[in-house]
Amino acid sequence: SWKLASLVSLLAVVALQVAKAASFVIGQKASPELLEQARIKAGAQNARILAPHDIMTLEYRSDRLNLNADDNAIITRVNCG
């Protein structure tokens, strides 16, 4: 229905704003302190650092901030989910 589509669109916009607020971490070395700084600045309820070969849950959570890191623990991407 149109209400569900509107809700999904709203959640996508909110998730984009959350990730944008934490984008300052891109290019930095992943650490618990950096993760917490990003979580607070973005206003996310939860946050995690994901390395290339980490096993992760597949449920989507718009309130969770993901900091994606490369093999050298450098943050390369920020998203919600």
Side-chain angles (χ1 to χ4, degrees):
S1 80
W2 68 270
K3 289 181 183 179
L4 180 58
S6 295
L7 178 60
V8 170
S9 295
L10 178 62
L11 288 175
V13 169
V14 169
L16 180 62
Q17 292 303 316
V18 168
K20 187 175 180 182
S23 65
F24 73 93
V25 302
I26 294 175
Q28 296 190 50
K29 181 93 169 167
S31 70
E33 296 80 17
L34 186 65
L35 179 66
E36 184 62 6
Q37 289 173 14
R39 186 193 68 74
I40 291 169
K41 185 161 184 171
Q45 291 293 317
N46 300 291
R48 62 185 177 176
I49 296 171
L50 298 171
H53 305 289
D54 282 353
I55 296 172
M56 66 189 91
T57 58
L58 297 178
E59 83 278 3
Y60 179 79
R61 294 186 52 186
S62 61
D63 66 336
R64 179 173 54 206
L65 181 67
N66 296 316
L67 305 184
N68 298 272
D70 64 14
D71 286 325
N72 297 313
I74 301 300
I75 305 299
T76 58
R77 182 172 166 238
V78 177
N79 69 316
C80 291

